[in-house]
Amino acid sequence: MQNILVPTTPAIETKPGWKLAPAAFGKPGNQATVWAECPDFCSENHVDNWTQHAVDLDHWGSDGARWDTDSMHAPAEALLALSARLYLDPTNPDPRMRAATVRIDDESVDVFHTPEMAEQTADELIAFAAQLRHLARQARTFNEGPAEALHQVRGGQV
Ligand SMILES: [Zn+2]
């Protein structure tokens, strides 16, 4: 009996930062699975999430960043959310999209940032967080201030 060796990875070299991953293309019921170049950061299953044409193959990082918040009127509901993932579209006519980008999504609009734009946005979000903390301090000071003390002295009567 002859042993048949099935290679677990193809003997094709990729450029640095890229790997080969199985990808399925075609129409439902008539697909072919081939090895496709995939950036190392890509966590997409290109067989389960097949595309009809090879040019539609794009690459996604795993969920890298996510923030959401509820409201005092709807606790435990994520009413406002932001998430960010790495994204790359190797056949996009825009060369910036053929490089790794950061896709930021608020669940209604998504934007694509170059690394420099993402860094600028991160700096702006840090500034926003500082302003938010300042607003929280102002609200607390007001709530605990003279008006609230007078309200308590009057036994809750205005
Ligand atoms: Zn990929």
mmCIF file with all atom_site columns, all heavy atoms in Angstrom, residues 71-91:
data_model
loop_
_atom_site.group_PDB
_atom_site.id
_atom_site.type_symbol
_atom_site.label_atom_id
_atom_site.label_alt_id
_atom_site.label_comp_id
_atom_site.label_asym_id
_atom_site.label_entity_id
_atom_site.label_seq_id
_atom_site.pdbx_PDB_ins_code
_atom_site.Cartn_x
_atom_site.Cartn_y
_atom_site.Cartn_z
_atom_site.occupancy
_atom_site.B_iso_or_equiv
_atom_site.pdbx_formal_charge
_atom_site.auth_seq_id
_atom_site.auth_comp_id
_atom_site.auth_asym_id
_atom_site.auth_atom_id
_atom_site.pdbx_PDB_model_num
ATOM 1   N N   . SER A 1 71 ? -27.869 53.917 28.382 1.00 0.00 ? 71 SER A N   1
ATOM 2   C CA  . SER A 1 71 ? -28.403 55.190 28.843 1.00 0.00 ? 71 SER A CA  1
ATOM 3   C C   . SER A 1 71 ? -29.041 54.951 30.194 1.00 0.00 ? 71 SER A C   1
ATOM 4   O O   . SER A 1 71 ? -29.473 53.835 30.501 1.00 0.00 ? 71 SER A O   1
ATOM 5   C CB  . SER A 1 71 ? -29.454 55.687 27.845 1.00 0.00 ? 71 SER A CB  1
ATOM 6   O OG  . SER A 1 71 ? -30.217 56.729 28.408 1.00 0.00 ? 71 SER A OG  1
ATOM 7   N N   . MET A 1 72 ? -29.143 56.015 30.998 1.00 0.00 ? 72 MET A N   1
ATOM 8   C CA  . MET A 1 72 ? -29.841 55.838 32.278 1.00 0.00 ? 72 MET A CA  1
ATOM 9   C C   . MET A 1 72 ? -31.311 55.479 32.031 1.00 0.00 ? 72 MET A C   1
ATOM 10  O O   . MET A 1 72 ? -31.957 54.921 32.888 1.00 0.00 ? 72 MET A O   1
ATOM 11  C CB  . MET A 1 72 ? -29.706 57.076 33.161 1.00 0.00 ? 72 MET A CB  1
ATOM 12  C CG  . MET A 1 72 ? -30.246 58.333 32.585 1.00 0.00 ? 72 MET A CG  1
ATOM 13  S SD  . MET A 1 72 ? -29.822 59.706 33.703 1.00 0.00 ? 72 MET A SD  1
ATOM 14  C CE  . MET A 1 72 ? -30.659 61.035 32.881 1.00 0.00 ? 72 MET A CE  1
ATOM 15  N N   . HIS A 1 73 ? -31.827 55.747 30.829 1.00 0.00 ? 73 HIS A N   1
ATOM 16  C CA  . HIS A 1 73 ? -33.208 55.394 30.485 1.00 0.00 ? 73 HIS A CA  1
ATOM 17  C C   . HIS A 1 73 ? -33.330 54.001 29.885 1.00 0.00 ? 73 HIS A C   1
ATOM 18  O O   . HIS A 1 73 ? -34.432 53.484 29.740 1.00 0.00 ? 73 HIS A O   1
ATOM 19  C CB  . HIS A 1 73 ? -33.796 56.415 29.503 1.00 0.00 ? 73 HIS A CB  1
ATOM 20  C CG  . HIS A 1 73 ? -33.824 57.799 30.055 1.00 0.00 ? 73 HIS A CG  1
ATOM 21  N ND1 . HIS A 1 73 ? -34.579 58.155 31.149 1.00 0.00 ? 73 HIS A ND1 1
ATOM 22  C CD2 . HIS A 1 73 ? -33.149 58.911 29.693 1.00 0.00 ? 73 HIS A CD2 1
ATOM 23  C CE1 . HIS A 1 73 ? -34.382 59.434 31.423 1.00 0.00 ? 73 HIS A CE1 1
ATOM 24  N NE2 . HIS A 1 73 ? -33.515 59.917 30.558 1.00 0.00 ? 73 HIS A NE2 1
ATOM 25  N N   . ALA A 1 74 ? -32.215 53.419 29.489 1.00 0.00 ? 74 ALA A N   1
ATOM 26  C CA  . ALA A 1 74 ? -32.226 52.072 28.894 1.00 0.00 ? 74 ALA A CA  1
ATOM 27  C C   . ALA A 1 74 ? -30.953 51.347 29.316 1.00 0.00 ? 74 ALA A C   1
ATOM 28  O O   . ALA A 1 74 ? -30.055 51.119 28.507 1.00 0.00 ? 74 ALA A O   1
ATOM 29  C CB  . ALA A 1 74 ? -32.332 52.150 27.377 1.00 0.00 ? 74 ALA A CB  1
ATOM 30  N N   . PRO A 1 75 ? -30.867 51.014 30.615 1.00 0.00 ? 75 PRO A N   1
ATOM 31  C CA  . PRO A 1 75 ? -29.643 50.373 31.085 1.00 0.00 ? 75 PRO A CA  1
ATOM 32  C C   . PRO A 1 75 ? -29.398 49.034 30.375 1.00 0.00 ? 75 PRO A C   1
ATOM 33  O O   . PRO A 1 75 ? -30.339 48.338 30.017 1.00 0.00 ? 75 PRO A O   1
ATOM 34  C CB  . PRO A 1 75 ? -29.884 50.169 32.590 1.00 0.00 ? 75 PRO A CB  1
ATOM 35  C CG  . PRO A 1 75 ? -31.288 50.538 32.844 1.00 0.00 ? 75 PRO A CG  1
ATOM 36  C CD  . PRO A 1 75 ? -31.861 51.189 31.641 1.00 0.00 ? 75 PRO A CD  1
ATOM 37  N N   . ALA A 1 76 ? -28.133 48.725 30.212 1.00 0.00 ? 76 ALA A N   1
ATOM 38  C CA  . ALA A 1 76 ? -27.676 47.460 29.625 1.00 0.00 ? 76 ALA A CA  1
ATOM 39  C C   . ALA A 1 76 ? -28.004 47.333 28.141 1.00 0.00 ? 76 ALA A C   1
ATOM 40  O O   . ALA A 1 76 ? -27.891 46.254 27.579 1.00 0.00 ? 76 ALA A O   1
ATOM 41  C CB  . ALA A 1 76 ? -28.217 46.260 30.395 1.00 0.00 ? 76 ALA A CB  1
ATOM 42  N N   . GLU A 1 77 ? -28.443 48.418 27.509 1.00 0.00 ? 77 GLU A N   1
ATOM 43  C CA  . GLU A 1 77 ? -28.638 48.385 26.060 1.00 0.00 ? 77 GLU A CA  1
ATOM 44  C C   . GLU A 1 77 ? -27.530 49.195 25.404 1.00 0.00 ? 77 GLU A C   1
ATOM 45  O O   . GLU A 1 77 ? -27.325 50.351 25.759 1.00 0.00 ? 77 GLU A O   1
ATOM 46  C CB  . GLU A 1 77 ? -29.985 49.003 25.671 1.00 0.00 ? 77 GLU A CB  1
ATOM 47  C CG  . GLU A 1 77 ? -31.165 48.100 25.896 1.00 0.00 ? 77 GLU A CG  1
ATOM 48  C CD  . GLU A 1 77 ? -32.439 48.720 25.325 1.00 0.00 ? 77 GLU A CD  1
ATOM 49  O OE1 . GLU A 1 77 ? -32.412 49.173 24.172 1.00 0.00 ? 77 GLU A OE1 1
ATOM 50  O OE2 . GLU A 1 77 ? -33.430 48.749 26.059 1.00 0.00 ? 77 GLU A OE2 1
ATOM 51  N N   . ALA A 1 78 ? -26.841 48.607 24.469 1.00 0.00 ? 78 ALA A N   1
ATOM 52  C CA  . ALA A 1 78 ? -25.771 49.317 23.765 1.00 0.00 ? 78 ALA A CA  1
ATOM 53  C C   . ALA A 1 78 ? -26.414 50.245 22.730 1.00 0.00 ? 78 ALA A C   1
ATOM 54  O O   . ALA A 1 78 ? -26.669 49.866 21.609 1.00 0.00 ? 78 ALA A O   1
ATOM 55  C CB  . ALA A 1 78 ? -24.829 48.331 23.100 1.00 0.00 ? 78 ALA A CB  1
ATOM 56  N N   . LEU A 1 79 ? -26.688 51.470 23.159 1.00 0.00 ? 79 LEU A N   1
ATOM 57  C CA  . LEU A 1 79 ? -27.400 52.412 22.297 1.00 0.00 ? 79 LEU A CA  1
ATOM 58  C C   . LEU A 1 79 ? -26.465 53.198 21.393 1.00 0.00 ? 79 LEU A C   1
ATOM 59  O O   . LEU A 1 79 ? -26.877 53.718 20.363 1.00 0.00 ? 79 LEU A O   1
ATOM 60  C CB  . LEU A 1 79 ? -28.214 53.379 23.148 1.00 0.00 ? 79 LEU A CB  1
ATOM 61  C CG  . LEU A 1 79 ? -29.307 52.728 23.988 1.00 0.00 ? 79 LEU A CG  1
ATOM 62  C CD1 . LEU A 1 79 ? -29.959 53.744 24.893 1.00 0.00 ? 79 LEU A CD1 1
ATOM 63  C CD2 . LEU A 1 79 ? -30.342 52.073 23.097 1.00 0.00 ? 79 LEU A CD2 1
ATOM 64  N N   . LEU A 1 80 ? -25.241 53.297 21.814 1.00 0.00 ? 80 LEU A N   1
ATOM 65  C CA  . LEU A 1 80 ? -24.235 54.050 21.069 1.00 0.00 ? 80 LEU A CA  1
ATOM 66  C C   . LEU A 1 80 ? -22.982 53.185 21.059 1.00 0.00 ? 80 LEU A C   1
ATOM 67  O O   . LEU A 1 80 ? -22.538 52.740 22.119 1.00 0.00 ? 80 LEU A O   1
ATOM 68  C CB  . LEU A 1 80 ? -23.993 55.377 21.789 1.00 0.00 ? 80 LEU A CB  1
ATOM 69  C CG  . LEU A 1 80 ? -23.124 56.432 21.148 1.00 0.00 ? 80 LEU A CG  1
ATOM 70  C CD1 . LEU A 1 80 ? -23.690 56.873 19.801 1.00 0.00 ? 80 LEU A CD1 1
ATOM 71  C CD2 . LEU A 1 80 ? -23.024 57.635 22.074 1.00 0.00 ? 80 LEU A CD2 1
ATOM 72  N N   . ALA A 1 81 ? -22.452 52.921 19.873 1.00 0.00 ? 81 ALA A N   1
ATOM 73  C CA  . ALA A 1 81 ? -21.317 51.996 19.803 1.00 0.00 ? 81 ALA A CA  1
ATOM 74  C C   . ALA A 1 81 ? -20.341 52.426 18.717 1.00 0.00 ? 81 ALA A C   1
ATOM 75  O O   . ALA A 1 81 ? -20.728 52.995 17.699 1.00 0.00 ? 81 ALA A O   1
ATOM 76  C CB  . ALA A 1 81 ? -21.804 50.579 19.523 1.00 0.00 ? 81 ALA A CB  1
ATOM 77  N N   . LEU A 1 82 ? -19.092 52.146 18.966 1.00 0.00 ? 82 LEU A N   1
ATOM 78  C CA  . LEU A 1 82 ? -18.021 52.341 17.995 1.00 0.00 ? 82 LEU A CA  1
ATOM 79  C C   . LEU A 1 82 ? -17.160 51.087 17.986 1.00 0.00 ? 82 LEU A C   1
ATOM 80  O O   . LEU A 1 82 ? -16.866 50.537 19.046 1.00 0.00 ? 82 LEU A O   1
ATOM 81  C CB  . LEU A 1 82 ? -17.128 53.521 18.380 1.00 0.00 ? 82 LEU A CB  1
ATOM 82  C CG  . LEU A 1 82 ? -17.587 54.926 18.073 1.00 0.00 ? 82 LEU A CG  1
ATOM 83  C CD1 . LEU A 1 82 ? -16.582 55.932 18.636 1.00 0.00 ? 82 LEU A CD1 1
ATOM 84  C CD2 . LEU A 1 82 ? -17.755 55.135 16.572 1.00 0.00 ? 82 LEU A CD2 1
ATOM 85  N N   . SER A 1 83 ? -16.779 50.657 16.803 1.00 0.00 ? 83 SER A N   1
ATOM 86  C CA  . SER A 1 83 ? -15.833 49.551 16.735 1.00 0.00 ? 83 SER A CA  1
ATOM 87  C C   . SER A 1 83 ? -14.828 49.856 15.633 1.00 0.00 ? 83 SER A C   1
ATOM 88  O O   . SER A 1 83 ? -15.088 50.666 14.733 1.00 0.00 ? 83 SER A O   1
ATOM 89  C CB  . SER A 1 83 ? -16.542 48.220 16.472 1.00 0.00 ? 83 SER A CB  1
ATOM 90  O OG  . SER A 1 83 ? -17.208 48.271 15.225 1.00 0.00 ? 83 SER A OG  1
ATOM 91  N N   . ALA A 1 84 ? -13.680 49.225 15.731 1.00 0.00 ? 84 ALA A N   1
ATOM 92  C CA  . ALA A 1 84 ? -12.626 49.440 14.751 1.00 0.00 ? 84 ALA A CA  1
ATOM 93  C C   . ALA A 1 84 ? -11.956 48.112 14.444 1.00 0.00 ? 84 ALA A C   1
ATOM 94  O O   . ALA A 1 84 ? -11.735 47.302 15.353 1.00 0.00 ? 84 ALA A O   1
ATOM 95  C CB  . ALA A 1 84 ? -11.602 50.448 15.271 1.00 0.00 ? 84 ALA A CB  1
ATOM 96  N N   . ARG A 1 85 ? -11.687 47.879 13.155 1.00 0.00 ? 85 ARG A N   1
ATOM 97  C CA  . ARG A 1 85 ? -11.016 46.664 12.716 1.00 0.00 ? 85 ARG A CA  1
ATOM 98  C C   . ARG A 1 85 ? -10.034 47.009 11.617 1.00 0.00 ? 85 ARG A C   1
ATOM 99  O O   . ARG A 1 85 ? -10.212 47.996 10.906 1.00 0.00 ? 85 ARG A O   1
ATOM 100 C CB  . ARG A 1 85 ? -12.020 45.668 12.108 1.00 0.00 ? 85 ARG A CB  1
ATOM 101 C CG  . ARG A 1 85 ? -13.012 45.123 13.044 1.00 0.00 ? 85 ARG A CG  1
ATOM 102 C CD  . ARG A 1 85 ? -14.032 44.266 12.322 1.00 0.00 ? 85 ARG A CD  1
ATOM 103 N NE  . ARG A 1 85 ? -13.463 42.973 11.913 1.00 0.00 ? 85 ARG A NE  1
ATOM 104 C CZ  . ARG A 1 85 ? -14.155 42.057 11.253 1.00 0.00 ? 85 ARG A CZ  1
ATOM 105 N NH1 . ARG A 1 85 ? -15.396 42.272 10.900 1.00 0.00 ? 85 ARG A NH1 1
ATOM 106 N NH2 . ARG A 1 85 ? -13.595 40.906 10.930 1.00 0.00 ? 85 ARG A NH2 1
ATOM 107 N N   . LEU A 1 86 ? -9.044  46.167 11.446 1.00 0.00 ? 86 LEU A N   1
ATOM 108 C CA  . LEU A 1 86 ? -8.164  46.300 10.302 1.00 0.00 ? 86 LEU A CA  1
ATOM 109 C C   . LEU A 1 86 ? -8.897  45.805 9.058  1.00 0.00 ? 86 LEU A C   1
ATOM 110 O O   . LEU A 1 86 ? -9.709  44.875 9.133  1.00 0.00 ? 86 LEU A O   1
ATOM 111 C CB  . LEU A 1 86 ? -6.884  45.489 10.506 1.00 0.00 ? 86 LEU A CB  1
ATOM 112 C CG  . LEU A 1 86 ? -5.913  45.997 11.559 1.00 0.00 ? 86 LEU A CG  1
ATOM 113 C CD1 . LEU A 1 86 ? -4.717  45.074 11.663 1.00 0.00 ? 86 LEU A CD1 1
ATOM 114 C CD2 . LEU A 1 86 ? -5.473  47.414 11.262 1.00 0.00 ? 86 LEU A CD2 1
ATOM 115 N N   . TYR A 1 87 ? -8.600  46.435 7.936  1.00 0.00 ? 87 TYR A N   1
ATOM 116 C CA  . TYR A 1 87 ? -9.237  46.069 6.676  1.00 0.00 ? 87 TYR A CA  1
ATOM 117 C C   . TYR A 1 87 ? -8.259  46.280 5.532  1.00 0.00 ? 87 TYR A C   1
ATOM 118 O O   . TYR A 1 87 ? -7.455  47.223 5.562  1.00 0.00 ? 87 TYR A O   1
ATOM 119 C CB  . TYR A 1 87 ? -10.490 46.935 6.450  1.00 0.00 ? 87 TYR A CB  1
ATOM 120 C CG  . TYR A 1 87 ? -11.190 46.661 5.148  1.00 0.00 ? 87 TYR A CG  1
ATOM 121 C CD1 . TYR A 1 87 ? -12.036 45.577 5.024  1.00 0.00 ? 87 TYR A CD1 1
ATOM 122 C CD2 . TYR A 1 87 ? -10.988 47.469 4.050  1.00 0.00 ? 87 TYR A CD2 1
ATOM 123 C CE1 . TYR A 1 87 ? -12.675 45.305 3.811  1.00 0.00 ? 87 TYR A CE1 1
ATOM 124 C CE2 . TYR A 1 87 ? -11.625 47.210 2.839  1.00 0.00 ? 87 TYR A CE2 1
ATOM 125 C CZ  . TYR A 1 87 ? -12.470 46.130 2.731  1.00 0.00 ? 87 TYR A CZ  1
ATOM 126 O OH  . TYR A 1 87 ? -13.097 45.856 1.540  1.00 0.00 ? 87 TYR A OH  1
ATOM 127 N N   . LEU A 1 88 ? -8.342  45.419 4.535  1.00 0.00 ? 88 LEU A N   1
ATOM 128 C CA  . LEU A 1 88 ? -7.505  45.552 3.348  1.00 0.00 ? 88 LEU A CA  1
ATOM 129 C C   . LEU A 1 88 ? -8.266  44.971 2.159  1.00 0.00 ? 88 LEU A C   1
ATOM 130 O O   . LEU A 1 88 ? -8.835  43.887 2.251  1.00 0.00 ? 88 LEU A O   1
ATOM 131 C CB  . LEU A 1 88 ? -6.191  44.789 3.557  1.00 0.00 ? 88 LEU A CB  1
ATOM 132 C CG  . LEU A 1 88 ? -5.100  44.952 2.501  1.00 0.00 ? 88 LEU A CG  1
ATOM 133 C CD1 . LEU A 1 88 ? -3.730  44.778 3.153  1.00 0.00 ? 88 LEU A CD1 1
ATOM 134 C CD2 . LEU A 1 88 ? -5.262  43.982 1.361  1.00 0.00 ? 88 LEU A CD2 1
ATOM 135 N N   . ASP A 1 89 ? -8.297  45.729 1.074  1.00 0.00 ? 89 ASP A N   1
ATOM 136 C CA  . ASP A 1 89 ? -8.968  45.292 -0.157 1.00 0.00 ? 89 ASP A CA  1
ATOM 137 C C   . ASP A 1 89 ? -7.921  45.258 -1.269 1.00 0.00 ? 89 ASP A C   1
ATOM 138 O O   . ASP A 1 89 ? -7.609  46.290 -1.859 1.00 0.00 ? 89 ASP A O   1
ATOM 139 C CB  . ASP A 1 89 ? -10.102 46.268 -0.494 1.00 0.00 ? 89 ASP A CB  1
ATOM 140 C CG  . ASP A 1 89 ? -10.835 45.874 -1.762 1.00 0.00 ? 89 ASP A CG  1
ATOM 141 O OD1 . ASP A 1 89 ? -10.430 44.896 -2.425 1.00 0.00 ? 89 ASP A OD1 1
ATOM 142 O OD2 . ASP A 1 89 ? -11.809 46.555 -2.098 1.00 0.00 ? 89 ASP A OD2 1
ATOM 143 N N   . PRO A 1 90 ? -7.344  44.081 -1.557 1.00 0.00 ? 90 PRO A N   1
ATOM 144 C CA  . PRO A 1 90 ? -6.174  44.030 -2.451 1.00 0.00 ? 90 PRO A CA  1
ATOM 145 C C   . PRO A 1 90 ? -6.442  44.418 -3.890 1.00 0.00 ? 90 PRO A C   1
ATOM 146 O O   . PRO A 1 90 ? -5.494  44.691 -4.629 1.00 0.00 ? 90 PRO A O   1
ATOM 147 C CB  . PRO A 1 90 ? -5.728  42.567 -2.358 1.00 0.00 ? 90 PRO A CB  1
ATOM 148 C CG  . PRO A 1 90 ? -6.907  41.816 -1.874 1.00 0.00 ? 90 PRO A CG  1
ATOM 149 C CD  . PRO A 1 90 ? -7.740  42.774 -1.050 1.00 0.00 ? 90 PRO A CD  1
ATOM 150 N N   . THR A 1 91 ? -7.684  44.473 -4.332 1.00 0.00 ? 91 THR A N   1
ATOM 151 C CA  . THR A 1 91 ? -7.952  44.835 -5.735 1.00 0.00 ? 91 THR A CA  1
ATOM 152 C C   . THR A 1 91 ? -8.638  46.185 -5.865 1.00 0.00 ? 91 THR A C   1
ATOM 153 O O   . THR A 1 91 ? -9.095  46.551 -6.941 1.00 0.00 ? 91 THR A O   1
ATOM 154 C CB  . THR A 1 91 ? -8.820  43.745 -6.414 1.00 0.00 ? 91 THR A CB  1
ATOM 155 O OG1 . THR A 1 91 ? -10.040 43.610 -5.691 1.00 0.00 ? 91 THR A OG1 1
ATOM 156 C CG2 . THR A 1 91 ? -8.091  42.410 -6.456 1.00 0.00 ? 91 THR A CG2 1
#
